[in-house]
């Protein structure tokens, strides 16, 4: 009975531990060749592109409802695309023609940028930031000349402005406020300050003050469901944890949507767990770059055993860093619910490289 989680925080830790052990075995189950990693990344990236595209299409069809797949699965799509990007210079070093692979990659990037941008402006920011980080890590790992010149950075900024401006114009022409970036910004302006005051005045070392959440008298003072794994994963095992349903979902949005994740974690789990989470993120990022240096040295010595693992690690590390920045410091929803499960998987995919079974 002691192993059965008693609240959301314990459940998150248990699921994270199980996923980490599972990925340890998955990454070391057999040889992870570059061809295998690249093939899986190409198939999965095409799947995400199709998923985001159909979801964006449903925005314009009144009889269908959209599912907002970009929030929970956006970092995984970024993982696959950056993995393909990392495989290209490895194949170039081997003298393989990568022209068709580049065309495929650019096509996927453009399609996901348009479809994901139509669905969520926060995803568009995550996507562009992730591609920027991915290009930077790849250029350092393969000792390439930096592609980030002042001219190119200006072009990216101008492209982002044009993209957001086009969405605003499209929302007004079609009278679809859901597409408007300005509406989202105004919502954050209206709700963020009261939300911050609520968190700061009620958060404690291990949770929040009793009665300060929207359960009122039923508030347990921590792990009240503001930060949780997917509801389906909670109800699957019949766990009696507080869950936001119906009208209460809009109350959860005050923290889930209007505040950075550090405030959501501090309110629901306390400042102690927030400190642990930040330390864990720093550890994962440091470990990822440390292992990348080892992979690079082995590759430069002619060892081809870890080429697939190196490409996968670059993609995983890029997606983890990007989601951590977006979720913890911009929007809690990017690291909550199903997105939290994605974050745990990305963390495990980085730490999983710590173990390499040798023959």
């Amino acid at each position: 009975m002691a192993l059965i989680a008693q609240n959301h925080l314990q459940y998150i830790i248990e699921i994270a531990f199980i996923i980490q052990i599972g990925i340890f075995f998955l990454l070391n189950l057999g040889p992870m060749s570059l061809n295998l990693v690249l093939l899986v990344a190409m198939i999965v990236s095409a799947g995400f592109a199709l998923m985001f595209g159909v979801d964006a299409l449903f925005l314009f069809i009144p009889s269908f409802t959209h599912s907002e797949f970009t929030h929970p699965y956006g970092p995984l799509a970024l993982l696959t695309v950056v993995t393909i990007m990392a495989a290209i210079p490895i194949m170039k070093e081997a003298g393989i023609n990568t022209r068709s692979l580049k065309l495929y990659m650019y096509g996927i990037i453009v399609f996901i940028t348009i479809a994901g941008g139509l669905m969520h402006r926060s995803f568009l920011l995550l996507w562009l930031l992730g591609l920027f980080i991915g290009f930077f890590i790849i250029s350092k790992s393969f000792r390439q000349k930096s592609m980030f010149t002042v001219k190119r950075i200006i072009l990216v900024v101008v492209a982002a402005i044009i993209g957001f401006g086009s969405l605003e114009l499209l929302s007004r022409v079609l009278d679809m406020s859901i597409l408007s970036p300005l509406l989202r910004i105004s919502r954050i302006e209206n709700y963020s300050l009261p939300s911050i005051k609520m968190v700061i005045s009620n958060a404690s070392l291990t949770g929040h003050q009793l009665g300060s959440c929207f359960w009122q008298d039923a508030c347990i003072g921590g792990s009240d469901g503001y930060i949780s794994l997917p509801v389906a994963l909670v109800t699957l095992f019949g766990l009696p944890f507080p869950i936001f349903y119906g009208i209460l979902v809009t109350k959860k949005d005050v923290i889930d949507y209007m505040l950075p994740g550090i405030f959501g974690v501090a309110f629901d789990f306390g400042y102690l767990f927030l400190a642990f989470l930040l330390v864990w993120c720093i550890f994962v990022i440091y470990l990822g770059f440390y292992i990348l240096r080892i992979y690079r040295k082995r590759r430069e010595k002619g060892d081809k055993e870890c080429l697939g693992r190196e490409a996968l690690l670059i993609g995983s590390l890029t997606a983890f860093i990007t989601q951590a920045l977006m979720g913890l410091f911009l929007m809690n929803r990017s690291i909550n619910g199903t997105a939290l499960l994605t974050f745990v998987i990305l963390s495990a995919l980085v730490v999983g490289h710590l173990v390499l079974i040798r023959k």
Side-chain angles (χ1 to χ4, degrees), residues 337-349:
T338 305
L340 177 58
L341 188 62
T342 295
F343 188 68
V344 169
I345 292 173
L346 291 176
S347 170
L349 281 171

Side-chain angles (χ1 to χ4, degrees), residues 13 16 67 121 131 206 288 323:
I13 294 173
S67 301
R121 271 54 64 200
L131 292 177
T206 57
Q323 189 178 9

